[in-house]
Amino acid sequence: MENKIYQVILKVPYTKKEKVEDFLYEYIQKGWETNEKKFRVYFIFYLKENSPELALLEEFLEKNLEIDVEYKLLKEENWEEIWKAHFKPLKIGKYLVIIPPWEKYEPNPYEVVVIIEAGQAFGTGHHPTTKMMLENIEIFKERIKDSNLKIIDIGCGTGILSIACAKLFKNSTIFAIDIDDLAIEACKENAILNKVEDKIIIQKEIPQEKFHLILANIGYREIKNLAKIIKNCSQIGSHIFLSGFLNTDAVNIINIYQNMGYSIIKHQRENEWSFLWLKLITN
């Protein structure tokens, strides 16, 4: 009997957005996509048929009838090929090229290639938030002209941002942090694929240190909840890149961080997603 996978689409009113996020963070460990359409937030993720998560989702929906749900049944045997068909080499900015390990790619002398096997962790470069983070890491590199930096990637997922930093900032110390075991494993494997495993410290705990550049592409709730920890990782002049949240949430994020002494360097938007570049100017 063939295994099947459901694509699940939750159509959520804004008033239920945080409640749905809380549920997903607790029970849907493989991650999800978010889109904003017609005054609703759409959460898209995948669950195996007969999985315990599917039963928990049904129970959750029974208690939240305002949420509409759509299921699309996929054959698991085709899933890997569907995924590969959508994950092609991706040029970002002037130099970065993101490729999966099964693609053959001949870079020109100026390109910086990052190989990413996504597995079950976030981050292939194709999502607008990851693209904006990578574009601005490259811009930061051109502005700073210094490779001897301390960088932390909070919620590293596949490690795509950390690996890009390891290749762009040659002499830097980079911490890749994630609380998810699958993400830690994926990050380690991708660091080895890119031959930068000796340049990235991969762990679950955020170290009690100060950083020149702090990356957090982790979602609205986490960016709010980790604000004080991010501040503790900062010193005067520290730059922080924040993304993973919708345009509608950007004002709240800006207010939180401005109240802690950060100034806005850049607010970039792509579709419904926001990216913020902030700098600590006062304690």
Side-chain angles (χ1 to χ4, degrees), residues 91-94 96 128-142 161 168 241 266 268 270 275 277:
K91 182 75 178 287
I92 295 177
K94 293 181 182 178
L96 288 168
T129 61
T130 312
K131 286 171 66 178
M132 289 189 286
M133 293 288 283
L134 290 167
E135 287 168 4
N136 285 284
I137 287 169
E138 191 177 271
I139 293 167
F140 181 75
K141 163 67 176 174
E142 290 186 340
L161 303 181
L168 289 170
F241 290 2
K266 183 178 185 180
Q268 183 175 338
E270 185 169 335
F275 161 88
W277 178 340

Side-chain angles (χ1 to χ4, degrees), residues 43-226:
F43 293 89
I44 304 165
F45 51 95
Y46 300 88
L47 293 176
K48 288 187 177 180
E49 188 179 33
N50 300 322
S51 68
E53 292 89 352
L54 199 55
L56 288 167
L57 175 63
E58 291 290 348
E59 185 179 327
F60 174 77
L61 292 172
E62 285 175 8
K63 298 175 182 177
N64 295 275
L65 298 176
E66 308 95 320
I67 298 169
D68 293 330
V69 61
E70 179 182 341
Y71 296 103
K72 294 182 180 179
L73 193 58
L74 308 172
K75 291 183 178 179
E76 189 173 34
E77 61 196 40
N78 297 331
W79 178 243
E80 186 175 349
E81 294 309 313
I82 292 170
W83 165 242
K84 286 185 177 182
H86 285 86
F87 190 9
K88 297 295 184 182
L90 177 68
K91 182 75 178 287
I92 295 177
K94 293 181 182 178
Y95 312 114
L96 288 168
V97 182
I98 313 302
I99 66 167
W102 57 82
E103 284 283 343
K104 292 182 180 179
Y105 184 83
E106 293 295 330
N108 69 43
Y110 305 102
E111 288 180 330
V112 176
V113 174
V114 176
I115 305 166
I116 293 295
E117 172 68 76
Q120 294 181 348
F122 282 115
T124 63
H126 290 72
H127 194 275
T129 61
T130 312
K131 286 171 66 178
M132 289 189 286
M133 293 288 283
L134 290 167
E135 287 168 4
N136 285 284
I137 287 169
E138 191 177 271
I139 293 167
F140 181 75
K141 163 67 176 174
E142 290 186 340
R143 288 189 187 179
I144 298 302
K145 307 293 185 185
D146 184 3
S147 288
N148 190 18
L149 302 175
K150 291 183 70 175
I151 300 169
I152 186 167
D153 178 10
I154 300 172
C156 62
T158 59
I160 186 169
L161 303 181
S162 295
I163 292 164
C165 287
K167 293 195 170 191
L168 289 170
F169 302 94
K170 298 292 186 182
N171 302 315
S172 291
T173 302
I174 299 161
F175 283 82
I177 310 297
D178 209 296
I179 60 172
D180 184 79
D181 290 329
L182 292 173
I184 291 287
E185 189 60 33
C187 187
K188 287 178 179 178
E189 291 174 2
N190 285 320
I192 292 168
L193 273 177
N194 287 275
K195 300 179 181 178
V196 294
E197 65 270 22
D198 58 333
K199 298 180 180 180
I200 303 174
I201 301 163
I202 303 168
Q203 61 187 46
K204 288 189 173 183
E205 299 80 22
I206 297 174
Q208 298 294 313
E209 298 188 36
K210 304 295 184 185
F211 294 88
H212 299 98
L213 177 61
I214 300 164
L215 310 172
N217 182 23
I218 51 176
Y220 175 62
R221 189 183 71 165
E222 282 64 36
I223 287 171
K224 282 200 309 179
N225 293 345
L226 291 173

